[in-house]
Amino acid sequence: MLNSLFVNHQDQKEALAIERRRRFEESRKQRIFNARRRIIGVDTDALGLQVQQKHEAEQAQAEQQRKFAEEMRRQEQVLLLKQHEQRQDRVREENELNRFRASHQKPEQSRDFDLFDPDGLKKSLPARLGDDDPRLTISGAQKFDGEDLEERHRRKVQIEQQRSWLEQQIREKQQAELDRRAAETFLESSLMSREHRLHQLASQERYARGKIQQAVNEFNRRLMTEQEQQRLRREREEQEDNLAEIYNNLTSDVLTENPDAAKSSFGPNRVITAQYKGMSPEEIEQVWRTQDRQLEELKRRREQEANTRKAWDQLANEFDRTVTLKERELNRRRHALAEQIRHENRELSMEQQRRVEYLDRVVYQNRPTEAYFDQFNTCTR
């Protein structure tokens, strides 16, 4: 009886656990399989609460910092006011202290002012007013035997001597100033006389230059006249020489074209080039024969060059024809090879297509159905 009760209680407990897991699974499915409400591994409410708490904490911290800054500014203002008041109090105390010292603590009111009085020496009497001064005691060490008792008279004499020296220096300076002014006056007068002399010399120089220019102009006129006479004489002599030269040329062997005048004494085939007047008819005939022979030689050479050029052109044409035939043969072989490659590629393509059809028709026949896909995504685990 107890065992049956225990079993029933255990079954109820397990049933309740199963029901609880089922309800949890259903609610989990609603969250996970709903695309609009699904958030995998994230609790939006908690995150929103955390964001709100963080925002509130940031606002509280910002407010605290603002209050702290305001408090710091207020304390700084109070501190500045206190410092200003302290500075004013210190200045006021120092002013009052200075006024008190100026009115009640003067240096001359002190008990020991005579020890450090700056005018003490001016106020005190000298150690010795004279030889009959009653303060001159033996212990004062102010009067001795052999001392200069005529010091005052000596100093008076020295002062008179210095005054005389100064007056002498003043007189010497005045005399030196007078000498300097006299020297300047003499220098100015000498400069004026020198300028006057220079003006006189300049005028004399202009007069001399005018005379020299007149003499030069007169000399140039005479020289020009002499040169014109010499030119006319040279022209007359040159004209006479030209007439004589023309007559000599007209009667010379050069213009008369005397062939004997060009013969040279160094050989029968040599001539004097300065007197040579041309070739004879026999020499001209010989030159024509030589030119005809040279023309025939040139014609024969040109025909030989034309034959050689023709042979080279023929050889080049044959070479071009051979190259063209070789290129045609290579093109035919290339086309044949390309045709063979296309045929092999076509056969390979057909073989590949047959293989794909065989795989689709025979190998890949076990295609998944809808029931195969329905077994997925049925649980949240």
Side-chain angles (χ1 to χ4, degrees):
M1 183 67 181
L2 293 173
N3 291 331
S4 62
L5 292 174
F6 180 74
V7 170
N8 292 330
H9 180 70
Q10 188 71 21
D11 292 340
Q12 291 177 1
K13 188 177 180 180
E14 291 180 357
L16 290 175
I18 291 171
E19 181 65 21
R20 186 172 61 254
R21 287 198 297 272
R22 187 181 63 77
R23 288 196 303 271
F24 181 74
E25 183 68 21
E26 289 297 330
S27 64
R28 183 180 174 85
K29 286 182 180 180
Q30 291 178 2
R31 291 196 308 271
I32 293 176
F33 294 142
N34 190 354
R36 293 183 178 180
R37 299 178 56 188
R38 179 175 59 200
I39 303 174
I40 300 174
V42 178
D43 190 355
T44 56
D45 297 336
L47 291 177
L49 181 60
Q50 290 178 1
V51 171
Q52 185 178 1
Q53 292 176 356
K54 185 177 180 181
H55 184 64
E56 292 177 355
E58 290 178 354
Q59 289 181 351
Q61 186 178 3
E63 183 67 21
Q64 184 179 2
Q65 291 180 355
R66 186 183 63 78
K67 292 180 179 179
F68 181 73
E70 290 180 356
E71 183 66 21
M72 286 185 64
R73 285 194 295 272
R74 187 180 64 78
Q75 291 181 2
E76 287 178 357
Q77 292 177 358
V78 173
L79 182 61
L80 290 174
L81 291 175
K82 289 294 183 182
Q83 291 178 354
H84 183 66
E85 291 177 358
Q86 289 178 359
R87 284 196 298 272
Q88 288 182 351
D89 294 339
R90 191 180 303 111
V91 171
R92 185 169 58 255
E93 290 176 358
E94 290 178 355
N95 292 332
E96 292 178 355
L97 180 60
N98 291 330
R99 283 197 299 272
F100 178 80
R101 288 174 177 175
S103 59
H104 300 288
Q105 293 183 352
K106 295 180 179 180
E108 57 272 13
Q109 295 176 355
S110 64
R111 185 174 54 187
D112 301 330
F113 178 71
D114 57 340
L115 299 177
F116 53 88
D117 186 5
D119 298 332
L121 296 177
K122 298 179 181 178
K123 296 177 182 178
S124 63
L125 295 174
R128 180 179 177 179
L129 295 176
D131 295 338
D132 54 351
D133 193 351
R135 295 179 302 166
L136 297 178
T137 60
I138 297 174
S139 62
Q142 294 294 324
K143 186 176 180 181
F144 301 95
D145 293 336
E147 64 179 344
D148 189 8
L149 299 178
E150 300 295 331
E151 182 182 2
R152 291 183 178 180
H153 179 68
R154 182 173 53 79
R155 288 184 177 275
K156 185 177 180 180
V157 172
Q158 289 178 353
I159 291 172
E160 292 295 335
Q161 188 177 6
Q162 289 179 356
R163 184 182 293 110
S164 64
W165 288 349
L166 291 174
E167 291 176 355
Q168 183 179 359
Q169 290 179 0
I170 291 171
R171 288 194 299 272
E172 290 177 354
K173 287 184 178 180
Q174 291 177 354
Q175 186 63 33
E177 181 68 20
L178 293 175
D179 294 340
R180 185 183 64 80
R181 290 180 180 178
E184 289 180 355
T185 305
F186 177 75
L187 180 62
E188 290 178 357
S189 62
S190 62
L191 290 174
M192 292 178 63
S193 63
R194 183 178 179 184
E195 289 181 357
H196 181 67
R197 180 61 178 169
L198 288 174
H199 286 302
Q200 290 179 354
L201 292 175
S203 61
Q204 292 176 3
E205 184 180 0
R206 287 194 297 271
Y207 177 75
R209 286 184 178 180
K211 291 295 183 179
I212 293 171
Q213 186 67 31
Q214 291 178 1
V216 169
N217 293 332
E218 184 65 25
F219 177 76
N220 290 332
R221 283 194 295 272
R222 289 197 300 271
L223 182 61
M224 186 182 300
T225 304
E226 291 179 0
Q227 289 179 354
E228 183 66 21
Q229 293 176 359
Q230 291 178 2
R231 185 180 63 79
L232 294 175
R233 186 175 61 255
R234 285 197 299 272
E235 289 180 356
R236 186 172 58 255
E237 292 176 355
E238 184 178 359
Q239 186 175 5
E240 292 177 356
D241 293 338
N242 291 333
L243 292 175
E245 185 178 0
I246 291 170
Y247 177 77
N248 292 330
N249 288 328
L250 289 175
T251 58
S252 64
D253 295 336
V254 176
L255 294 179
T256 56
E257 295 183 358
N258 186 9
D260 295 334
K263 291 182 179 179
S264 176
S265 59
F266 294 99
N269 295 325
R270 301 184 68 175
V271 296
I272 300 173
T273 57
Q275 300 179 1
Y276 183 69
K277 292 301 180 179
M279 295 183 295
S280 61
E282 292 80 6
E283 292 176 348
I284 293 173
E285 183 67 25
Q286 184 178 1
V287 170
W288 285 350
R289 286 195 300 270
T290 304
Q291 288 180 353
D292 293 337
R293 186 170 64 254
Q294 290 176 353
L295 288 174
E296 291 178 358
E297 183 67 23
L298 180 61
K299 184 177 180 181
R300 183 172 61 258
R301 191 181 301 110
R302 288 181 178 177
E303 289 178 356
Q304 185 177 0
E305 290 177 356
N307 294 330
T308 304
R309 192 180 301 107
K310 184 176 180 182
W312 278 106
D313 293 339
Q314 185 176 0
L315 181 60
N317 292 329
E318 291 179 358
F319 182 75
D320 292 338
R321 186 165 53 254
T322 304
V323 171
T324 303
L325 294 175
K326 291 292 184 181
E327 288 181 354
R328 290 178 181 176
E329 181 65 23
L330 289 174
N331 290 331
R332 284 195 297 272
R333 291 182 181 180
R334 193 180 297 109
H335 289 313
L337 181 61
E339 184 65 28
Q340 182 180 357
I341 291 172
R342 284 196 295 273
H343 180 68
E344 292 178 356
N345 290 335
R346 193 181 301 110
E347 290 182 354
L348 290 173
S349 177
M350 294 175 65
E351 181 66 24
Q352 183 70 20
Q353 186 176 2
R354 287 195 298 271
R355 180 176 178 80
V356 171
E357 291 177 355
Y358 172 75
L359 292 174
D360 293 338
R361 188 172 58 254
V362 178
V363 178
Y364 303 138
Q365 287 298 319
N366 189 13
R367 298 182 179 276
T369 60
E370 295 295 334
Y372 174 76
F373 293 103
D374 291 339
Q375 66 180 343
F376 297 102
N377 203 17
T378 57
C379 180
T380 60
R381 303 297 178 182

